[in-house]
Amino acid sequence: MSIASNIAEIRKNIPKHVQLVCVSKFHSNDDIMQAYNVGERVFGESKVQEMCAKYESLPKDIKWHFIGHLQSNKVKYIVPFVDLIHGVDSIKLLAEIEKQAAKIGRKQQCLLQIHIAKEDTKFGFSVDEILNSFKDEGFQKLQYAEIVGVMGMATFSNDTDLVRSEFDLLKAVFEQLKTECFANNERFHIVSMGMSDDYQLAIAQGSTMVRIGSSIFGVRNY
Ligand SMILES: *Cc1c(COP(=O)(O)O)cnc(C)c1O
């Protein structure tokens, strides 16, 4: 199977309103260009240094999404060019994004990462934490960090009922935030959930953005 044919297969399963993020972490520029040449423009990376190097050497109409765990001290390296930061998992990180984006006068779109999985290894705000944080003044005063939705990862499991219930939870949190904290603002519109093994389930539960790596590019060599 080639990267182009993998993408063609995946496109058959993705409705028009769902954005595909091609997760290219640990894959070469050549691999990325194979996806680019069949029309893909949105790529996801999880390491700051790797994403910056790829940004430098690849076409400038690529939209780079940062999907990994972002350390506050590295925000400044990506804010000049990153299209969307998926994994905002603390108030501290959000404040740093606000600060760095303000410095260069650039709006920075980001997603709140919500902890929905059973495993405690995955980062993110708890549901209670996020609903409470919104009463926080710091949140209300953001001018450059623009929160446009939520992101989450389900438990790594074959138990489809469990995975479905976690996606359901993320969708419900999204709806609650949209009405209670974002006054139904249209710009709060993204539900980033679903990876190679579970994206069809995620779409069925209301995902608007899927992050797919290995089903496109094959296994990663870490
Ligand atoms: C690596 C990664 C993906 C892609 O995973 P695949 O199983 O290879 O599709 C999606 N989301 C996040 C946050 C990741 O780190």
Side-chain angles (χ1 to χ4, degrees), residues 19 42 66 120 122 128 146-147 160 163 174:
Q19 173 68 52
V42 181
F66 193 81
D120 46 56
K122 285 174 184 159
D128 287 344
E146 186 179 23
I147 299 165
T160 47
V163 172
F174 167 79

Side-chain angles (χ1 to χ4, degrees), residues 148-221:
V148 293
V150 297
M151 177 268 207
M153 275 190 276
T155 304
F156 184 71
S157 163
N158 291 325
D159 182 347
T160 47
D161 287 339
L162 174 66
V163 172
R164 186 184 295 111
S165 72
E166 291 172 353
F167 287 147
D168 253 353
L169 172 63
L170 185 60
K171 182 66 168 35
V173 173
F174 167 79
E175 294 297 346
Q176 192 175 350
L177 285 171
K178 190 174 167 77
T179 49
E180 290 181 14
C181 307
F182 290 89
N184 286 311
N185 183 342
E186 289 301 309
R187 296 192 63 77
F188 187 78
H189 67 290
I190 296 173
V191 182
S192 168
M193 61 184 188
M195 317 194 342
S196 289
D197 291 336
D198 56 19
Y199 74 92
Q200 299 197 60
L201 196 54
I203 291 170
Q205 302 314 119
S207 171
T208 67
M209 188 174 270
V210 291
R211 310 174 309 266
I212 301 182
S214 42
S215 292
I216 295 175
F217 297 109
V219 293
R220 289 179 285 270
N221 293 311

Side-chain angles (χ1 to χ4, degrees), residues 8-213:
E9 278 308 305
I10 289 165
R11 281 179 184 161
K12 290 182 196 158
N13 300 324
I14 299 183
K16 285 268 175 301
H17 72 277
V18 176
Q19 173 68 52
L20 171 61
V21 179
C22 300
V23 176
S24 49
K25 62 188 186 193
F26 296 92
H27 288 285
S28 67
N29 288 355
D30 280 354
D31 286 353
I32 293 175
M33 284 310 294
Q34 288 183 43
Y36 181 92
N37 288 335
V38 295
E40 295 302 329
R41 291 294 179 272
V42 181
F43 293 89
E45 291 286 333
S46 61
K47 297 262 184 285
V48 167
Q49 209 178 0
E50 183 178 352
M51 187 170 76
C52 290
K54 286 172 172 172
Y55 164 73
E56 290 298 333
S57 51
L58 289 165
K60 289 296 178 280
D61 62 342
I62 288 178
K63 292 184 162 141
W64 294 101
H65 284 199
F66 193 81
I67 63 168
H69 176 62
L70 182 57
Q71 289 169 278
S72 294
N73 62 353
K74 295 195 173 158
V75 169
K76 58 179 176 286
Y77 301 119
I78 68 170
V79 158
F81 70 91
V82 70
D83 187 62
L84 180 64
I85 299 173
H86 285 237
V88 175
D89 59 2
S90 71
I91 302 290
K92 179 177 171 233
L93 177 58
L94 194 57
E96 180 64 14
I97 294 170
E98 172 74 9
K99 181 177 153 194
Q100 295 300 333
K103 253 190 201 168
I104 58 171
R106 184 178 187 268
K107 283 253 182 197
Q108 179 60 62
Q109 301 207 332
C110 27
L111 304 178
L112 298 171
Q113 183 168 356
I114 315 284
H115 183 98
I116 52 170
K118 289 276 173 291
E119 300 114 308
D120 46 56
T121 50
K122 285 174 184 159
F123 295 101
F125 290 101
S126 73
V127 175
D128 287 344
E129 197 181 357
I130 201 68
L131 292 169
N132 290 328
S133 296
F134 262 89
K135 300 179 189 108
D136 203 284
E137 239 191 295
F139 250 103
Q140 303 296 334
K141 281 201 299 223
L142 295 172
Q143 286 183 21
Y144 291 91
E146 186 179 23
I147 299 165
V148 293
V150 297
M151 177 268 207
M153 275 190 276
T155 304
F156 184 71
S157 163
N158 291 325
D159 182 347
T160 47
D161 287 339
L162 174 66
V163 172
R164 186 184 295 111
S165 72
E166 291 172 353
F167 287 147
D168 253 353
L169 172 63
L170 185 60
K171 182 66 168 35
V173 173
F174 167 79
E175 294 297 346
Q176 192 175 350
L177 285 171
K178 190 174 167 77
T179 49
E180 290 181 14
C181 307
F182 290 89
N184 286 311
N185 183 342
E186 289 301 309
R187 296 192 63 77
F188 187 78
H189 67 290
I190 296 173
V191 182
S192 168
M193 61 184 188
M195 317 194 342
S196 289
D197 291 336
D198 56 19
Y199 74 92
Q200 299 197 60
L201 196 54
I203 291 170
Q205 302 314 119
S207 171
T208 67
M209 188 174 270
V210 291
R211 310 174 309 266
I212 301 182

